[in-house]
Amino acid sequence: MEIVGEIESKWKFSPIPNIEESNFNKILERFYGLGVKGLTKENIQNSLDGRLANSTTPVIVKINIGTINNIDIPGIDDVISRIKCLEGRNSYTKETISHMLKKVDQEEVRYISFEDINTRGLTGAKNGQSHSKKDTWGIYAYNKGVHFEESDQSIETTRGGSHGVGKIASNAASDLHLMYFANCDEQGDQHLGGTAQLIEHMFNQQCYRSTGYFADLKVENDTSKFYPYENKFHSVFEKKTRGLKIIIPYLRAEFDNEDEIIKTVCDSFFVSILDGRLEVHVNDHVINTDTIERYLNDSQYYIQEISDMKKVFTPLYVKTYKNEKPRDIVISNGDKYFDFKLYFKYDESISKGRVAIVRTIGMKIEDFSVKSNATKPYNAVLIGGLEEDGYLKSLENESHTKISSEDIKDPRLKSQAKRFINNLSSVIAGIIDEEMMKNNPTDGLMDTKDLLYIIESEFKQDLSNAYGAVKINKGNLVIKATDGTPNKKPKKKGTKKGTVEPKNTGIKRTRSNNPTGTTDELHESNTETYSVSPNIVERLIVKNTEFIQFNFKDISEMKNTTSCNLSFNIIDGMGEEYKNEFKLKENYATVIDNSRGSKCEIDNESIKNVSIKDGIVKLKLDLKPNYNRALKFIYYVEV
């Protein structure tokens, strides 16, 4: 790499033959959208990742917001000269460059810094751009999309970072996309580096890459190599104790918010703070295990009425984590089982139920909403061990704000991730239901056998009179029987001996043409449809499996039939039918024909080629986590 005429400049940009990319790094916009919350969370997580091994002292992070003269910012004139040469080639880059140019003439600028203590800092700064895995300075300072991996796998698993893109979060917080990092290593050596994220540009008749490095440049064996500067700069950029300090000048106005930073510290790291592993200073505020509840109980930062906590749940999480005994739960992804501790609290005054999913470093990933239970009155905190932490880490998005399967490319791993998240919802939903039943008992004991029998009998009778539970169609299409309940007619004297009336068999005979077909189709599909009593259908749900049996033995029309197709429609307690609302593949993982012992195909919302053996159909259906066990159905049989 040869950089002509750039040796004197404090900032180095690598030359390129021509400009090919005219956009700012898209990750800048992503982290800009996360605001000061994303910036704070990312930098504190990095500090926790750098904690001293086997240390019992908490990691201390000092966050300071202040003002600095622009002349005290190292090499700022070099960066401003580059910005003035930038050319936007679309509306977004033009707008961003224009915004930068409005900021460059400020004599005093706002800044924010994140300094950690009781951490390792970066190693190998003296080696510069060494490309060695042992030199974390070179990886942090000069490599994009790469993060240092610990040799100790247990430490690597618990680290929050994994994508290698979080370093750019600090650039996104600066109006000039500018950040510095000061380091003091184990030997007490102090260095300063930095990055600027611009766009590819032409400067002094030479094209350059978009990223600039605050670094010295040395040529060794005809190869150019970056080295950091010894830190002899303004006190804002000093780092005299072991650890790392991030400094972001030209702080965006919307990031200059002390209250939001304090809330983010509490929201994202309440577990590590309560456990005494983290202490955070925000200007003059100190947040540690002794003081965190002081902020949670302050209406300046948090809503105090439990029923009004609908977006932020940290005060509830802290009470749950401190006061509730954890439950052991097991979640499967279809390949492995993962053991978690669930701190669970049921409280009728809670209006929105959420689960704080927390990594072992004590960082909350997200407020997890259990499917179909978002408004249930509960609060919970979920934490696993090392193996569980490693799996959660693989499901995190780049900004550590959600577990998801969306970014996983491998189809098998993606499927496992979906199953894990669904099973997580299902298991916690079961606990919620259990607690709701426990906390809402009936007033005294009641013998309900007769009552339930009457209700069930009346429901079945009404349903049977209306249109039955099973409809049989000899044609290619299922045809709905008459919806209304037919009036009972007295038996005519001329009724043939042996004729069975619908009243006795539960079968109503109607004749109907296909209402949507052509004239020829109507003639060809003229069929008889039978509505069969619900008494021939038996359902049983055991854990995550449903068993359904149809008994067609007493139906003459089915005597010589050996297979059929089945489809379902939902019905409510009044017998009203809801077409096309129940999706088989969304509710059943697999359908097994028990008579054959083989898997049935689901196509076009129909279970195909189900065998009828001795007039009996037997199905075994594996339920998906989102299956609603309270549903009632009307079944269609196509033969």
Side-chain angles (χ1 to χ4, degrees):
M1 176 177 62
E2 182 183 1
I3 303 183
V4 180
E6 295 297 304
I7 302 297
E8 295 78 13
S9 173
K10 289 289 185 184
W11 285 85
K12 307 299 188 299
F13 290 78
S14 299
I16 52 177
N18 49 63
I19 295 175
E20 296 181 359
E21 178 59 63
S22 300
N23 289 314
F24 286 94
N25 191 321
K26 293 181 179 179
I27 299 175
L28 286 167
E29 188 174 358
R30 190 182 312 164
F31 276 105
Y32 170 68
L34 294 172
V36 70
K37 293 180 180 180
L39 173 71
T40 303
K41 185 174 183 179
E42 185 68 35
N43 278 295
I44 294 178
Q45 170 248 299
N46 287 341
S47 295
L48 285 172
D49 285 348
R51 63 196 180 280
L52 291 169
N54 303 317
S55 174
T56 58
T57 56
V59 169
I60 298 174
V61 179
K62 294 185 176 181
I63 304 174
N64 285 300
I65 304 175
T67 302
I68 186 174
N69 292 324
N70 66 345
I71 59 174
D72 292 323
I73 301 173
I76 188 61
D77 290 340
D78 298 333
V79 176
I80 291 175
S81 296
R82 299 276 178 164
I83 291 173
K84 290 181 177 179
C85 291
L86 301 182
E87 292 186 21
R89 289 176 170 79
N90 55 54
S91 59
Y92 172 70
T93 54
K94 288 178 181 178
E95 180 183 346
T96 304
I97 294 166
S98 175
H99 176 78
M100 288 178 163
L101 291 172
K102 291 176 183 177
K103 303 294 180 179
V104 297
D105 293 328
Q106 299 177 87
E107 293 185 2
E108 290 187 339
V109 299
R110 297 287 283 173
Y111 75 89
I112 188 171
S113 64
F114 296 82
E115 178 182 2
D116 56 42
I117 300 169
N118 297 329
T119 56
R120 290 169 292 174
L122 302 173
T123 60
K126 285 185 175 181
N127 300 326
Q129 198 174 13
S130 68
H131 304 292
S132 170
K133 291 183 179 180
K134 294 181 180 180
D135 293 338
T136 56
W137 174 277
I139 294 172
Y140 186 89
Y142 312 121
N143 283 284
K144 300 177 186 177
V146 177
H147 85 291
F148 165 68
E149 292 188 359
E150 299 280 356
S151 56
D152 186 331
Q153 187 57 41
S154 63
I155 297 177
E156 173 61 27
T157 299
T158 62
R159 294 182 69 216
S162 60
H163 294 275
V165 300
K167 294 175 287 190
I168 208 171
S170 297
N171 296 85
S174 167
D175 282 320
L176 303 189
H177 295 172
L178 185 67
M179 64 86 73
Y180 296 81
F181 45 95
N183 184 68
C184 181
D185 61 21
E186 188 176 9
Q187 288 73 39
D189 294 327
Q190 301 171 36
H191 296 88
L192 184 69
T195 61
Q197 298 290 340
L198 306 180
I199 58 175
E200 292 183 3
H201 57 280
M202 181 173 286
F203 182 71
N204 291 339
Q205 306 303 312
Q206 170 66 53
C207 296
Y208 291 91
R209 286 181 180 170
S210 58
T211 302
Y213 300 96
F214 184 73
D216 198 3
L217 184 70
K218 297 180 181 179
V219 179
E220 300 173 351
N221 300 322
D222 296 325
T223 302
S224 298
K225 186 176 175 181
F226 289 139
Y227 282 90
Y229 295 109
E230 289 187 22
N231 198 345
K232 299 178 181 179
F233 300 96
H234 188 273
S235 58
V236 167
F237 298 87
E238 285 181 348
K239 177 57 176 162
K240 293 185 176 181
T241 60
R242 186 177 180 183
L244 189 68
K245 182 178 183 181
I246 306 298
I247 308 99
I248 306 167
Y250 293 88
L251 180 66
R252 291 181 181 273
E254 55 269 44
F255 284 69
D256 195 348
N257 191 325
E258 182 184 85
D259 286 358
E260 280 301 313
I261 293 171
I262 290 172
K263 287 191 286 185
T264 300
V265 170
C266 297
D267 293 343
S268 298
F269 300 98
F270 66 89
V271 169
S272 56
I273 292 172
L274 290 171
D275 290 351
R277 291 179 284 161
L278 174 68
E279 180 178 304
V280 182
H281 302 196
V282 184
N283 292 330
D284 297 327
H285 300 270
V286 178
I287 307 168
N288 57 30
T289 186
D290 297 321
T291 64
I292 183 172
E293 290 183 86
R294 192 182 306 162
Y295 293 93
L296 299 178
N297 297 329
D298 189 336
S299 58
Q300 177 180 343
Y301 303 104
Y302 290 96
I303 292 172
Q304 298 301 303
E305 190 65 37
I306 292 178
S307 60
D308 293 333
M309 295 179 185
K310 298 178 181 179
K311 292 184 178 180
V312 179
F313 312 94
T314 308
L316 295 174
Y317 290 146
V318 169
K319 289 180 182 178
T320 300
Y321 183 67
K322 288 186 66 177
N323 301 327
E324 300 303 317
K325 184 179 179 181
R327 308 172 184 220
D328 294 320
I329 65 172
V330 179
I331 311 296
S332 170
N333 69 351
D335 180 51
K336 290 183 179 180
Y337 291 92
F338 299 95
D339 300 314
F340 290 92
K341 298 288 185 185
L342 182 72
Y343 299 80
F344 185 93
K345 174 66 176 177
Y346 180 90
D347 185 343
E348 291 285 355
S349 61
I350 297 174
S351 58
K352 297 275 187 178
R354 293 294 185 273
V355 181
I357 298 180
V358 180
R359 292 280 306 281
T360 57
I361 62 169
M363 178 181 72
K364 185 189 75 176
I365 302 173
E366 71 165 308
D367 300 309
F368 184 75
S369 177
V370 177
K371 193 168 185 178
S372 302
N373 286 268
T375 57
K376 297 292 178 63
Y378 79 94
N379 180 260
V381 178
L382 181 82
I383 306 176
L386 283 179
E387 186 175 9
E388 290 71 25
D389 210 44
Y391 190 65
L392 288 177
K393 188 176 182 178
S394 72
L395 303 182
E396 284 182 28
N397 60 3
E398 292 177 344
S399 50
H400 315 292
T401 57
K402 185 179 180 181
I403 60 169
S404 171
S405 62
E406 294 176 3
D407 296 328
I408 299 175
K409 301 297 186 289
D410 185 291
R412 182 179 65 86
L413 297 179
K414 191 181 189 75
S415 176
Q416 289 177 358
K418 287 180 179 179
R419 180 169 295 186
F420 174 86
I421 295 170
N422 286 335
N423 286 342
L424 179 61
S425 261
S426 179
V427 170
I428 299 178
I431 294 173
I432 296 168
D433 291 342
E434 179 184 326
E435 287 295 319
M436 290 188 71
M437 292 179 66
K438 187 188 299 183
N439 286 273
N440 293 278
T442 57
D443 296 329
L445 299 176
M446 179 183 293
D447 187 350
T448 61
K449 292 195 296 294
D450 293 337
L451 177 62
L452 292 175
Y453 175 78
I454 292 170
I455 292 174
E456 180 70 12
S457 297
E458 288 180 349
F459 175 77
K460 285 189 173 183
Q461 185 62 42
D462 291 343
L463 184 58
S464 180
N465 289 338
Y467 43 84
V470 179
K471 296 181 181 179
I472 306 169
N473 175 25
K474 290 184 179 181
N476 294 324
L477 299 175
V478 175
I479 302 173
K480 183 179 178 183
T482 305
D483 286 342
T485 302
N487 295 325
K488 294 182 180 179
K489 295 182 180 180
K491 182 180 177 181
K492 295 181 179 180
K493 294 181 180 180
T495 302
K496 294 181 181 180
K497 185 178 180 180
T499 301
V500 182
E501 292 293 335
K503 179 180 178 181
N504 298 324
T505 65
I507 296 176
K508 293 188 299 180
R509 176 176 294 173
T510 61
R511 183 174 295 275
S512 174
N513 288 326
N514 180 357
T516 60
T518 63
T519 304
D520 291 338
E521 288 172 337
L522 290 175
H523 178 73
E524 292 176 2
S525 62
N526 190 2
T527 61
E528 289 185 343
T529 300
Y530 297 87
S531 179
V532 184
S533 168
N535 292 324
I536 73 161
V537 185
E538 294 183 17
R539 292 175 65 198
L540 175 65
I541 297 179
V542 180
K543 293 186 177 179
N544 294 320
T545 303
E546 179 176 2
F547 300 90
I548 305 179
Q549 177 174 297
F550 298 83
N551 186 348
F552 297 127
K553 287 182 178 180
D554 296 329
I555 300 178
S556 59
E557 289 79 6
M558 302 287 287
K559 291 292 184 183
N560 298 320
T561 304
T562 59
S563 66
C564 64
N565 299 332
L566 295 169
S567 56
F568 306 175
N569 272 355
I570 298 173
I571 52 172
D572 63 19
M574 301 302 293
E576 183 177 351
E577 181 177 0
Y578 296 85
K579 297 180 180 180
N580 304 319
E581 291 207 7
F582 185 77
K583 306 300 181 184
L584 292 172
K585 289 185 177 181
E586 292 179 7
N587 288 276
Y588 298 122
T590 56
V591 179
I592 304 296
D593 184 339
N594 272 356
S595 297
R596 290 177 179 160
S598 60
K599 185 177 177 181
C600 295
E601 178 190 0
I602 297 177
D603 183 49
N604 195 25
E605 297 306 328
S606 178
I607 302 173
K608 301 295 185 181
N609 299 318
V610 181
S611 65
I612 303 174
K613 187 175 182 180
D614 298 327
I616 301 294
V617 169
K618 294 182 179 181
L619 292 178
K620 175 186 174 185
L621 306 97
D622 293 328
L623 309 180
K624 289 189 174 182
N626 58 310
Y627 181 79
N628 186 345
R629 297 161 187 257
L631 293 177
K632 296 183 183 293
F633 299 101
I634 180 166
Y635 300 91
Y636 290 87
V637 181
E638 183 180 353
V639 296

